[in-house]
Amino acid sequence: QVRLVESGGGSVQTGGSLRLSCAASTDKYSSTCLAWFRQAPGKEPEGVANIDPYGSTTYADSVKGRFTISQGSAKNTLHLQMNSLKPEDTAMYYCAADVVLRPYCKSLSPAFFGDWGQGTQVTVSS
C-alpha cells in the first residue's frame, strides 16, 4: 500500500513561515496530480493547492500570494512553502494524490484524491 507521509508542521506566530513536505512510498505519483488540503476543527477539508506533473498549479484564494506548492527534486516528494501565516491558517495539513493517475489536475475538491497522508499540524498564534 502506498504511503504518504507529511512533515514540517509546527507552531509559529502571525507572519511566520513554515515549509511542509510530503514523501510518497512510490514514484508513480510523480505522473499525476498532487495536492495539499487542510482541515480545521469542526470544518470540512479545504483544498489549499494542487500541482500537475508539468508544474501547473492552482491555489485557493485564501492562500494566493502566500503559499507555494512545488515538487521536490526527488520524484516522490511534494512541498508547501507557507509565508505570511495567519491564525486562520491553523489546521491539520494533508497531502493527497489522485489515485486514478490522471496526468492533470481536475479539481481542488477532495473527491478527486484517493490517497491521503496522516497529516501534520500547523498552528499560528496571534
Side-chain angles (χ1 to χ4, degrees):
Q1 184 176 353
V2 177
R3 292 187 61 216
L4 296 170
V5 180
E6 301 94 339
S7 61
S11 297
V12 297
Q13 293 188 326
T14 297
S17 298
L18 285 172
R19 180 176 171 84
L20 305 184
S21 296
C22 174
S25 60
T26 176
D27 288 346
K28 67 179 182 179
Y29 287 162
S30 64
S31 61
T32 191
C33 183
L34 300 172
W36 287 98
F37 291 85
R38 64 187 182 187
Q39 187 171 22
K43 294 189 176 181
E44 294 294 316
E46 175 191 16
V48 174
N50 64 25
I51 186 167
D52 73 13
Y54 309 102
S56 293
T57 58
T58 301
Y59 294 92
D61 288 343
S62 58
V63 305
K64 279 181 182 176
R66 300 188 299 121
F67 290 11
T68 303
I69 188 172
S70 62
Q71 296 152 324
S73 56
K75 287 185 176 180
N76 63 342
T77 58
L78 180 71
H79 301 291
L80 184 68
Q81 178 67 43
M82 305 186 297
N83 298 327
S84 302
L85 283 161
K86 306 174 181 180
E88 51 264 44
D89 295 318
T90 295
M92 186 71 80
Y93 283 71
Y94 302 89
C95 66
D98 176 3
V99 297
V100 177
L101 301 182
R102 283 171 279 242
Y104 58 91
C105 287
K106 190 172 179 68
S107 169
L108 258 178
S109 168
F112 291 99
F113 297 85
D115 199 0
W116 294 69
Q118 294 299 305
T120 185
Q121 178 67 38
V122 172
T123 303
V124 185
S125 58
S126 57

